[in-house]
Amino acid sequence: YTTLFRSYYGLYAQDHWKIRHNLTLSYGVRWEVSPAITSRQNNTANFDPTLPNPGVGNLPGALIFAGFGPGRSGEKAFATTDYKGFGPRLGIAYALQKTTVLRAAYGLMYQPSDASAIYLNQQGFFTNATLNSLDGFTPAFNWATGFPSVPQGPFFSPTFANGASTSWLQPNGDRMPDLQNWNVGVQQQLPWGIVADVSYVGSASHHLSNGNVSYNQLTPGQLSLRSLLGAQINSAAAQAAGIQSPYPGFTGTVAQAIRPYPQYQTITMTSDIVGNNTYNALQVKAEKRFSQGIAFTVFYVNSKNLTDDDGHNGSANMGNGTQNYYNLRAEKAVAALDDPQHFGASFTYDLPIGKGKWLNINQPVVNRVVGGWHWSGIITFEKGAPLGITTESSIPTVIGAIRPNVINGISPFVNNSRGSFVPQDLYLNVNAFAAPAADTFGDAPRLSSNIRAFGARQFDTAVFKNIPITERLSLNLKGEFFNAFNTVNFGAPVTDINNPSFGTITSAGTPRIVQLSATVKW
């Protein structure tokens, strides 16, 4: 993969127009192009869902190979280049009065797609040979006679991956994801050098890459054949049900025979651009720049983050895995990073102790010891991460893992009180969930907005001072206290309903840590 290549081009124009002394308009547009990924050596292959496969009676679905010459596709890239990356920007700043400013903005941005680079296919360009003894006693080969002859390839045959798994980079798989941002807010200057900011912030992303999803999945309607799925295609049961072999010479199960492409096992979609994300938030902030010995920032965020695509790395992108490729709408849920309530504050304070301060100390030695200290801190309160309830159940491997059903009217919690919870308690109630009926999908969301782990509460603080000894020599003293009150922040519980430890919490965050240091500077 060291020869994979992608270029990027951007062109933009922007302007600022001061319409009036209290009204400024910013506007512009950016055009971005990220040509489809290629290999300098053209050593990539791809599944083509429409190409006739001569090895299976010309059923659609075969391999094509990048490059030029016999057996090649005549193209360097399998995806098309997206030239529609036009992104406008607009911003307005309006001073209602000297101490009050209204701001609003909108922007459309694009992110070059890189998901396909992770999973690009190289089938046919290398050989992975396994040599076995025919009878279990005779050596597969002898060192004295050297390695056996192994075909090196490349093998430019559309049938190369028949009977195995492959991957598909769709023609639109390199479309650039787009991100729309918008916000409107008011900034107000308050007494004592404090500035308050109240804003609504929103964003929406589309065409996110939902990579590593199986395209060769049975449809939900085919699950009615559950009793036959494991039967061989030539069995009496299959023949009695009228299930035909998909192509001459096929051997395998009924489940394999009725796949969309029975000549393949898994077909991994390296970049399925169907992901979406929305974010809406109320953000409130008060900030004081350093003056009179103190500076601070206090903020509060009330938000909701929804997505059907938490990334592009296989099952992790859907939290607990995609249940049903034919119903991706069911994957929409809160994002793994959804944090609906977040409060934070930070401050720095020059303690009013020492010569010339509120607690005046004129004695030089005492002033050097107790004067000139500074105090800082960071305070964090946040809601817990959303939890996804899972099962160990599955519909046959051509479907995959399934989620449980949620039983209405039963609380999902046993004890979610931060004040009374102890490690011996159960956090989640297993009776609030149940495995779905055979051959059906569970209705539990990928991640639940109302079933969350414990949130986090933490106070970090530090005291420090600098003691000048000579003009060039000084001593810096510092004491740092992380999680100063030793608050217990419990980890996430076990969420597999088939696990005997379901609902238990076996981890916690970092306890109090104290660091003391003295640094000599010269």
Side-chain angles (χ1 to χ4, degrees):
Y1 292 114
T2 57
T3 62
L4 294 182
F5 176 78
R6 182 194 294 279
S7 54
Y8 167 82
Y9 306 94
L11 177 69
Y12 73 94
Q14 63 185 40
D15 190 24
H16 301 279
W17 180 16
K18 192 166 185 177
I19 302 173
R20 299 179 56 188
H21 72 281
N22 63 343
L23 177 61
T24 301
L25 184 66
S26 301
Y27 49 92
V29 64
R30 184 179 183 90
W31 181 50
E32 300 177 72
V33 179
S34 181
I37 192 167
T38 60
S39 167
R40 292 188 186 275
Q41 297 178 349
N42 294 326
N43 58 351
T44 54
N46 196 36
F47 168 74
D48 185 331
T50 62
L51 182 67
N53 190 320
V56 292
N58 284 328
L59 283 179
L63 288 191
I64 56 174
F65 305 89
F68 307 89
R72 305 279 191 119
S73 66
E75 300 287 344
K76 294 176 64 69
F78 298 117
T80 56
T81 298
D82 182 6
Y83 292 102
K84 299 178 182 178
F86 288 94
R89 274 83 156 149
L90 179 64
I92 299 174
Y94 177 51
L96 299 174
Q97 53 188 12
K98 288 186 177 180
T99 59
T100 307
V101 177
L102 172 67
R103 301 180 188 274
Y106 170 83
L108 173 59
M109 296 81 175
Y110 294 88
Q111 170 66 40
S113 174
D114 63 355
S116 58
I118 302 173
Y119 305 109
L120 277 183
N121 188 350
Q122 290 186 305
Q123 286 174 311
F125 288 91
F126 64 90
T127 299
N128 185 0
T130 300
L131 301 174
N132 297 305
S133 171
L134 296 178
D135 56 13
F137 295 96
T138 306
F141 72 93
N142 195 297
W143 287 107
T145 58
F147 287 97
S149 176
V150 175
Q152 296 297 305
F155 308 97
F156 299 138
S157 170
T159 66
F160 181 83
N162 285 6
S165 296
T166 188
S167 63
W168 181 30
L169 172 59
Q170 300 175 86
N172 66 349
D174 262 339
R175 176 169 178 168
M176 294 185 293
D178 60 77
L179 169 64
Q180 299 179 70
N181 286 310
W182 57 87
N183 64 79
V184 59
V186 176
Q187 293 177 315
Q188 176 68 49
Q189 183 175 334
L190 303 174
W192 305 295
I194 299 173
V195 175
D197 187 334
V198 179
S199 300
Y200 160 68
V201 176
S203 70
S205 301
H206 303 289
H207 307 296
L208 301 175
S209 176
N210 174 12
N212 212 12
V213 174
S214 176
Y215 184 62
N216 208 22
Q217 186 183 83
L218 291 186
T219 66
Q222 292 171 317
L223 297 181
S224 60
L225 298 172
R226 174 61 184 260
S227 60
L228 291 174
L229 291 179
Q232 293 297 308
I233 192 64
N234 294 323
S235 66
Q239 293 177 4
I243 300 174
Q244 303 294 321
S245 176
Y247 55 84
F250 173 85
T251 58
T253 63
V254 169
Q256 181 64 34
I258 62 176
R259 283 182 185 250
Y261 297 91
Q263 66 269 36
Y264 294 107
Q265 299 296 321
T266 299
I267 300 176
T268 300
M269 303 183 72
T270 61
S271 182
D272 194 14
I273 53 169
V274 296
N276 303 278
N277 178 275
T278 59
Y279 175 82
N280 292 277
L282 170 68
Q283 301 181 355
V284 181
K285 181 175 72 171
E287 185 172 18
K288 174 179 169 45
R289 294 185 178 181
F290 190 81
S291 64
Q292 300 174 329
I294 189 170
F296 64 79
T297 299
V298 180
F299 69 89
Y300 167 75
V301 179
N302 187 315
S303 66
K304 191 157 191 178
N305 192 344
L306 293 171
T307 186
D308 53 17
D309 189 354
D310 267 321
H312 59 251
N313 55 340
S315 61
N317 69 328
M318 290 298 187
N320 301 317
T322 306
Q323 276 199 126
N324 179 11
Y325 176 74
Y326 300 102
N327 183 21
L328 292 181
R329 291 175 61 89
E331 305 306 318
K332 183 177 180 179
V334 291
L337 296 179
D338 180 59
D339 185 7
Q341 305 272 350
H342 191 111
F343 171 83
S346 63
F347 65 89
T348 299
Y349 182 42
D350 288 351
L351 295 177
I353 303 172
K355 186 176 181 180
K357 297 187 177 182
W358 179 76
L359 185 58
N360 187 36
I361 299 176
N362 288 319
Q363 210 289 329
V365 176
V366 177
N367 180 64
R368 182 159 293 206
V369 174
V370 301
W373 284 94
H374 310 278
W375 178 34
S376 66
I378 299 175
I379 303 170
T380 302
F381 291 87
E382 62 184 12
K383 291 277 284 186
L387 300 176
I389 309 302
T390 65
T391 73
E392 295 177 15
S393 303
S394 66
I395 298 174
T397 55
V398 288
I399 294 289
I402 56 174
R403 296 193 285 268
N405 284 327
V406 177
I407 300 178
N408 295 325
I410 299 180
S411 172
F413 299 104
V414 175
N415 183 3
N416 64 336
S417 170
R418 190 182 185 100
S420 63
F421 186 87
V422 294
Q424 293 78 18
D425 291 343
L426 281 176
Y427 184 74
L428 295 177
N429 180 9
V430 71
N431 296 318
F433 311 96
D439 306 330
T440 63
F441 297 102
D443 59 15
R446 177 178 54 82
L447 292 170
S448 178
S449 61
N450 61 352
I451 305 177
R452 295 177 176 269
F454 279 119
R457 302 178 183 180
Q458 185 151 327
F459 177 57
D460 303 325
T461 187
V463 289
F464 54 95
K465 70 171 297 182
N466 190 61
I467 305 174
I469 299 174
T470 67
E471 183 176 345
R472 301 180 61 182
L473 183 66
S474 65
L475 175 65
N476 182 271
L477 302 177
K478 182 185 292 186
E480 297 172 288
F481 306 85
F482 302 96
N483 192 7
F485 299 128
N486 204 29
T487 304
V488 178
N489 289 307
F490 290 105
V494 177
T495 57
D496 176 2
I497 66 171
N498 298 117
N499 190 320
S501 299
F502 176 83
T504 61
I505 295 177
T506 60
S507 64
T510 306
R512 180 194 297 120
I513 296 176
V514 178
Q515 291 184 172
L516 304 177
S517 64
T519 306
V520 177
K521 298 181 180 180
W522 70 91

